[in-house]
Amino acid sequence: MPEFPNLKTGAVAQYPLGRGIRTGTTVVEFLDGGEQRFASQRMRRRWVVRMEQLDEGEAMRVAAFAAQYLNTLEPFRFRDPWNGLVYEQCVLEGDEAAVRAASRVECGVALVVTEEVG
C-alpha cells in the first residue's frame, strides 16, 4: 500500500498542523414530519497538513502524490505526526490540492487527509 510522502527531515508535516475527529449524524424522519438526530458510530480522523518552504524536489513529490490520490477513494498509509501511529485507510479530501510555487526555491502545500473507517 502506498504511503504519504515524508519530507527530507523524515517529518510528515510542519507546524501549524490541524487534526480532529469527526462523527457523522444520522437523521430519522417520521411520517408526521418530525425528526430525530443522533450521532452515528462512525468516527473519522482528519489532519490538515500544511507544508511551507519546501525545496522543489519535496514539493514535486508531494504534488505528484496529491495528483494521483486526490478525488479518488484509493487508500494510502498516513503516519500521525503527533503520535507516530500509522493509519491504513486514508484518503485525500477536497477538490484540489493547494500546491503553490512561492518562488523558484520555496514551495508550499496544503492537503486534508482523512481516515476512512468502515
Side-chain angles (χ1 to χ4, degrees):
M1 178 176 285
E3 191 163 328
F4 190 85
N6 290 341
L7 301 176
K8 289 189 304 188
T9 61
V12 177
Q14 299 170 334
Y15 292 106
L17 178 67
R19 73 172 178 172
I21 295 178
R22 288 185 163 183
T23 59
T25 302
T26 301
V27 179
V28 178
E29 294 182 20
F30 299 102
L31 292 175
D32 67 358
E35 295 180 346
Q36 183 176 9
R37 298 173 185 263
F38 56 93
S40 67
Q41 297 297 318
R42 185 175 180 204
M43 294 191 327
R44 300 183 319 169
R45 289 175 184 82
R46 184 173 184 261
W47 300 266
V48 179
V49 179
R50 290 183 181 90
M51 298 179 224
E52 297 291 331
Q53 299 181 353
L54 303 179
D55 67 25
E56 190 175 346
E58 289 173 319
M60 295 299 282
R61 191 169 49 252
V62 174
F65 184 86
Q68 182 176 356
Y69 290 97
L70 197 62
N71 294 325
T72 70
L73 295 178
E74 189 174 345
F76 58 87
R77 287 188 196 104
F78 181 77
R79 184 171 43 90
D80 188 327
W82 272 281
N83 58 22
L85 295 175
V86 176
Y87 296 95
E88 299 283 331
Q89 297 295 319
C90 295
V91 296
L92 286 179
E93 205 180 83
D95 293 328
E96 63 183 56
V99 178
R100 62 172 171 72
S103 70
R104 293 187 70 203
V105 181
E106 297 177 2
C107 300
V109 179
L111 300 169
V112 177
V113 177
T114 302
E115 178 194 25
E116 289 298 317
V117 180

